[in-house]
Amino acid sequence: MRSHYCGEVTEQFLGQNVTLAGWVHKRRDLGGLIFVDMRDRTGLVQVVFDPEHAASLEAATQLRQEFCIQLKGEVRARPEGQVNERMATGKVEVVATELTILNKAAALPIDFNSQVSEEQRLRFRYLDLRRPEMNKKIVFRAKVASAVRRFFDAQGFLDIETPMLTRATPEGARDYLVPSRTHDGKFFALPQSPQLFKQLLMMSGFDKYYQIVKCFRDEDLRADRQPEFTQIDIETTFMSAQEVRNTTEQLIRELFQEMLEVDLGAFPVMSYADAMRLYGSDKPDLRNPMQLVDIADVVIDIEFKVFAGPANDPKGRVAALRIPGGARLTRKQIDEYTDYVKVYGAKGLAWLKVNDKDAGMDGLQSPVLKFLPEDVVTEILNRTGAETGDILLFGADTFTVVSEALGALRLKAGDDFDLVEDSWKPLWVVDFPMFEEYEGGFAAIHHPFTAPVGVTPEELKANPTAAISDAYDMVLNGCEVGGGSVRIHNAEMQAAVFDILGINEEEAKEKFGFLLEALKYGTPPHAGLAFGLDRLVMLMVGANSIRDVIAFPKTTTAACVLTDAPGYANPEALKELNISVNND
């Protein structure tokens, strides 16, 4: 039905006849002439209907926005002064000789020339996706996926599918359950990740696996989280953590070079401890130059208990954040910052303005200044590098509260003061703790199949809080785009981890018996990593939400307003499954 795509019609086709098919993007009736911007997924081209071709001109009077049309015409250069340099086809136009209206469009339910709510965009997603800006994002995503496959195929990886109907696995979120008709009262779970199956593939001798795969998690949603999302999933045998990182870093570097013509360079490596100490986050945004500075040792002996208390607590932290030029903050703005950190558990926010550093204590302004000895203040100024015009914001509480509160404030202040560099800043974060302690037990920082570094099962059980995992996260501009680890490959270590996590032998056998059984039969060392494809593409195209790079996403309430899903099940289907619904 067509000889060319609209976006392909450039100067090389001057004088040639083309057949195009697509949609009316815009129509302009100038009386004797009608101009139509015609669109398909490759872009726009200007079409002219003139009196020389009376039949097509007459037919063009019927055209309205989003009519689906086919036309034939001759490519000619645009008249002098009418070239549009912003369009790939902006130097030519097509003079229509024939026009066929394939399908008319009713009055559009949304007007994309004005502000449209996201719910409306999702309700009429098929129209939203026709917009050039949305079209480009989905096409870009497809090209990223294609490049990923080419990379791994060239590296000798095998694309192997894993089941969608499986058992629940402990990935930290609720499972989506699927009732079984043939096994009364039993349920499948949709996979939160292919974690166990890809490990089993390594045990089966397929030493390099990859898959672009759907995953499902029933959790609270936000801009970068969906109930169903896509992973670039990777697992390898006989490769160290460093080798896995080298391979996946090469993938990302080649992707950025091919898709964006950006050279990311070698990725720096940072320990989890340093990331939390300097940035208050395990996914630091290195485009922001500000860092947290610990001052507990400076204030440990002062009488001001707000600082001295946490400084003397082994689980406490006292830190300062210097905002260059921040002395211009008003008291109202400081109060707003105080309210902001309270969301993260902070009780308040002490501050100190450096109005004139050369004036000593007289050049400083702070409600807590009277509680701080001059030598302590001098050391704080020196350690933080504070200069005239800066402000210091202090956090004093548990290590977790101070890190999260000042880490979040660092990001907010970086945006408020326009300190964030317009660049790409990747890094690896490594040396995570194996476990996090909570009241009554331990939880795995990554997942319970992650191997510890350099300890025996007995040593791990004797001191779990000191254990470091052989895990690694790839971070880009403050977003975790991928994470992985070396896996446990012997039954004794896996049993020790389950024991620390409070998973007894009976529960472990019931949930993971097949994995524990497989570990008995010559399981090789293996390691892997998974990228969030949606999040990666979101960053690459500069979108604010992963919903903009997913063709048919869910809302923040995990609903599809396009299809009105989820819906009520047919009573007969529920009866066949022996399921009753309690609406109380």
Side-chain angles (χ1 to χ4, degrees):
M1 293 185 69
R2 64 183 166 200
S3 62
H4 300 82
Y5 283 98
C6 295
E8 295 175 345
V9 182
T10 58
E11 306 97 289
Q12 63 179 310
F13 296 104
L14 286 173
Q16 295 185 30
N17 291 314
V18 295
T19 302
L20 307 177
W23 288 267
V24 175
H25 186 70
K26 187 183 295 184
R27 172 182 172 275
R28 303 181 300 281
D29 191 337
L30 304 183
L33 293 174
I34 293 178
F35 290 88
V36 167
D37 287 343
M38 188 175 177
R39 185 195 72 243
D40 60 23
R41 72 175 177 86
T42 65
L44 300 169
V45 67
Q46 179 171 283
V47 179
V48 182
F49 297 87
D50 63 21
E52 287 187 31
H53 307 91
S56 62
L57 177 61
E58 176 62 27
T61 61
Q62 303 176 52
L63 297 181
R64 297 293 183 270
Q65 190 178 7
E66 296 308 315
F67 273 34
C68 185
I69 61 175
Q70 180 201 47
L71 62 85
K72 297 181 180 180
E74 181 183 347
V75 181
R76 72 181 184 190
R78 289 201 190 190
E80 188 176 347
Q82 295 183 21
V83 170
N84 186 344
E85 297 289 354
R86 292 173 298 176
M87 293 172 59
T89 63
K91 293 182 179 180
V92 301
E93 59 190 12
V94 177
V95 181
T97 56
E98 296 180 31
L99 171 64
T100 303
I101 297 176
L102 300 173
N103 215 333
K104 295 181 179 181
L108 298 181
I110 47 180
D111 180 6
F112 289 114
N113 293 317
S114 61
Q115 193 70 25
V116 178
S117 70
E118 184 175 52
E119 184 171 352
Q120 281 291 93
R121 288 177 54 205
L122 297 181
R123 167 68 180 82
F124 299 99
R125 189 63 162 183
Y126 44 87
L127 296 178
D128 185 43
L129 290 175
R130 289 184 191 176
R131 294 191 298 135
E133 55 265 44
M134 286 301 300
N135 176 282
K136 288 177 183 177
K137 291 171 185 175
I138 301 302
V139 170
F140 186 94
R141 178 191 174 114
K143 291 180 178 179
V144 167
S146 177
V148 168
R149 289 190 174 94
R150 290 198 307 272
F151 175 86
F152 283 119
D153 290 344
Q155 294 279 338
F157 282 72
L158 299 174
D159 183 355
I160 306 176
E161 294 181 352
T162 52
M164 285 290 117
L165 296 176
T166 181
R167 287 188 66 104
T169 57
E171 301 286 345
R174 290 180 296 273
D175 291 300
Y176 280 101
L177 299 178
V178 180
S180 170
R181 179 183 59 81
T182 54
H183 299 276
D184 192 23
K186 293 186 177 182
F187 293 81
F188 294 104
L190 297 180
Q192 295 190 33
S193 86
Q195 182 62 47
L196 297 182
F197 286 104
K198 66 181 179 181
Q199 289 189 244
L200 291 171
L201 285 171
M202 297 303 101
M203 300 172 194
S204 304
F206 300 101
D207 65 325
K208 290 183 176 182
Y209 143 95
Y210 84 96
Q211 186 181 188
I212 298 179
V213 60
K214 280 287 186 185
C215 303
F216 307 86
R217 296 185 185 181
D218 185 6
E219 57 189 347
D220 295 333
L221 306 184
R222 58 193 185 203
D224 62 348
R225 185 181 285 171
Q226 282 276 293
E228 54 178 322
F229 57 96
T230 306
Q231 276 188 186
I232 304 169
D233 207 47
I234 306 143
E235 198 76 9
T236 67
T237 301
F238 306 122
M239 287 180 68
S240 66
Q242 183 65 60
E243 289 170 323
V244 172
R245 280 169 33 204
N246 289 346
T247 299
T248 51
E249 178 177 324
Q250 181 185 349
L251 165 68
I252 299 302
R253 290 177 63 178
E254 290 188 13
L255 269 182
F256 270 74
Q257 188 66 58
E258 177 180 340
M259 303 297 299
L260 300 178
E261 297 184 347
V262 169
D263 182 1
L264 291 176
F267 293 12
V269 180
M270 182 181 298
S271 71
Y272 169 87
D274 283 345
M276 297 303 296
R277 177 177 60 85
L278 295 172
Y279 304 103
S281 171
D282 61 359
K283 47 180 185 296
D285 188 345
L286 300 186
R287 297 173 302 164
N288 183 331
M290 292 187 290
Q291 295 181 346
L292 310 188
V293 177
D294 285 308
I295 60 168
D297 60 312
V298 182
V299 298
I300 195 168
D301 294 324
I302 66 175
E303 295 182 5
F304 187 45
K305 297 303 181 185
V306 173
F307 283 3
N312 283 278
D313 184 344
K315 294 184 178 180
R317 184 178 191 186
V318 185
L321 174 68
R322 177 178 73 91
I323 303 178
R328 67 175 183 268
L329 285 171
T330 65
R331 184 56 187 267
K332 180 176 181 294
Q333 290 171 317
I334 294 174
D335 289 343
E336 289 172 353
Y337 276 8
T338 302
D339 291 338
Y340 183 78
V341 297
K342 286 180 179 178
V343 174
Y344 298 89
K347 301 178 183 68
L349 187 66
W351 55 273
L352 187 154
K353 288 185 177 182
V354 185
N355 296 322
D356 184 356
K357 186 177 181 180
D358 294 336
M361 295 290 281
D362 292 337
L364 307 177
Q365 178 187 354
S366 171
V368 302
L369 193 60
K370 58 188 175 183
F371 303 114
L372 303 177
E374 185 172 353
D375 62 326
V376 168
V377 173
T378 300
E379 177 57 25
I380 291 172
L381 294 177
N382 289 338
R383 186 171 296 189
T384 59
E387 299 292 343
T388 297
D390 296 346
I391 191 172
L392 299 179
L393 303 175
F394 299 96
D397 208 303
T398 65
F399 183 88
T400 299
V401 167
V402 170
S403 300
E404 291 184 355
L406 288 189
L409 187 59
R410 169 183 171 270
L411 298 178
K412 177 173 174 54
D415 289 333
D416 292 346
F417 284 81
D418 198 25
L419 298 174
V420 180
E421 182 183 341
D422 183 14
S423 63
W424 296 101
K425 293 289 186 178
L427 80 153
W428 288 104
V429 178
V430 299
D431 297 338
F432 289 84
M434 268 290 284
F435 307 102
E436 57 183 342
E437 195 171 3
Y438 64 93
E439 189 174 342
F442 294 93
I445 291 286
H446 280 80
H447 55 64
F449 315 108
T450 299
V453 176
V455 293
T456 65
E458 294 73 24
E459 291 169 337
L460 182 67
K461 291 171 70 173
N463 192 5
T465 57
I468 299 297
S469 67
D470 204 351
Y472 33 84
D473 282 357
M474 183 186 292
V475 178
L476 180 62
N477 290 4
C479 289
E480 178 196 333
V481 293
S485 67
V486 172
R487 322 304 187 186
I488 296 169
H489 69 279
N490 69 74
E492 293 77 15
M493 182 63 78
Q494 189 64 73
V497 170
F498 283 161
D499 187 43
I500 292 168
L501 296 175
I503 301 174
N504 61 39
E505 186 175 346
E506 182 179 348
E507 184 183 0
K509 185 175 181 180
E510 195 271 330
K511 287 185 175 180
F512 312 110
F514 61 94
L515 178 69
L516 297 175
E517 180 75 12
L519 287 171
K520 297 177 182 178
Y521 304 112
T523 297
H526 54 288
L529 182 144
F531 289 106
L533 176 62
D534 313 295
R535 190 175 297 177
L536 180 63
V537 174
M538 177 190 75
L539 290 173
M540 294 180 77
V541 302
N544 295 319
S545 167
I546 63 171
R547 291 189 289 274
D548 277 349
V549 297
I550 299 173
F552 299 103
K554 305 294 188 292
T555 66
T556 53
T557 60
C560 176
V561 293
L562 172 64
T563 61
D564 197 24
Y568 293 104
N570 185 302
E572 289 301 316
L574 292 177
K575 183 178 179 180
E576 193 173 15
L577 293 166
N578 291 318
I579 292 176
S580 62
V581 177
N582 185 351
N583 291 317
D584 293 342

